[in-house]
């Protein structure tokens, strides 16, 4: 039998994905303690109905960091974040089919009307994803100079920080309301169930079983 110190830590992202995760968690057999759903709670770590699992609630980029360093064993993380960091210590075996959106390049609608991305050679881009953006453009010989922002990227073009942004687009409302237009799609995004590779090696049965439960939960969710 495993002791309390063998507890697995599951890292979940704050924000929109949190609500979409709830049915998947439930289908996988995990129900967080009630205070987890209390938006006013300042607690960051929560127990669950499973004595072998606690949940932590962190920023989406930090889910990947906690899991990559083995501070959390399991996590739910957007493929956008995984692409940005490219951590070798993270194994992402299950596409949960939640948090679907796309990662796109956008620019002011009037510029987009006559702009041709295939003619770009050097561009400046405001984004939360500098690594992924540089890699994406370098692959076709375009030098992307990135300005790192942590949110509200859509303000950058109107205020003259740079013409273009790379950001997540879901309904497209944020772009529209800020006078921007999607000009190129970089990737389709969805959330993955992730595990720390070293932890999977040392505790293959416990963690392997969670991979299977989340795989089954994801398939149930899309059926
Ligand atoms: C994301 C993204 C866009 C917006 C796109 O931000 O950064 O701003 O959603 O969604 P839409 O196309 O449906 O308008 P989010 O609200 O997740 O908050 P964040 O700024 O903290 O990332």
């Amino acid at each position: 039998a495993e002791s309390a110190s063998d507890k697995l830590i599951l890292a979940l992202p704050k924000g929109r994905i949190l609500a979409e995760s709830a049915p998947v968690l439930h289908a996988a057999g995990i129900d967080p303690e009630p205070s987890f759903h209390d938006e006013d709670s300042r607690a960051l770590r929560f127990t669950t109905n499973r004595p072998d699992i606690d949940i932590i609630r962190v920023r989406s980029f930090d889910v990947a960091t906690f899991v990559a360093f083995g501070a959390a064993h399991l996590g739910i993380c957007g493929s956008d974040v995984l692409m940005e960091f490219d951590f070798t210590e993270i194994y992402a075996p299950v596409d949960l089919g939640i948090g679907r959106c796309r990662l796109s390049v956008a620019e002011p609608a009037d510029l987009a009307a006559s702009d041709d991305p295939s003619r770009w050679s050097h561009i400046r881009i405001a984004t939360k994803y500098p690594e992924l953006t540089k890699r994406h453009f370098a692959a076709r010989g375009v030098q992307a100079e990135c300005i790192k922002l942590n949110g509200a990227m859509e303000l950058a073009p109107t205020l003259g920080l740079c013409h273009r942004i790379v950001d997540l687009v879901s309904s497209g409302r944020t772009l529209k309301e800020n006078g921007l237009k999607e000009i190129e799609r970089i990737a389709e995004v969805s959330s993955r169930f992730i595990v720390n590779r070293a932890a999977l090696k040392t505790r293959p049965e416990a963690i392997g079983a969670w991979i299977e439960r989340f795989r089954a939960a994801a398939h149930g969710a899309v059926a």
Side-chain angles (χ1 to χ4, degrees), residues 60-61 63-65 67-68 75-94 129 132 135 189-195:
S60 60
F61 275 64
V63 167
T65 306
V67 174
I76 292 181
C77 186
S79 53
D80 54 327
V81 175
L82 297 175
M83 284 188 281
E84 175 64 12
F85 284 125
D86 208 13
F87 281 128
T88 52
E89 268 311 302
I90 293 181
Y91 173 47
V94 184
Y129 308 92
L132 181 167
R135 248 187 292 137
V189 171
S190 62
S191 294
R192 310 292 154 105
F193 178 67
I194 62 171
V195 307

Side-chain angles (χ1 to χ4, degrees), residues 16 128 150-154 167-175:
R16 322 184 177 200
K128 253 199 229 188
N150 296 303
M153 256 73 62
E154 293 81 4
D167 196 12
L168 298 179
V169 181
S170 175
S171 65
R173 226 185 110 194
T174 308
L175 290 183

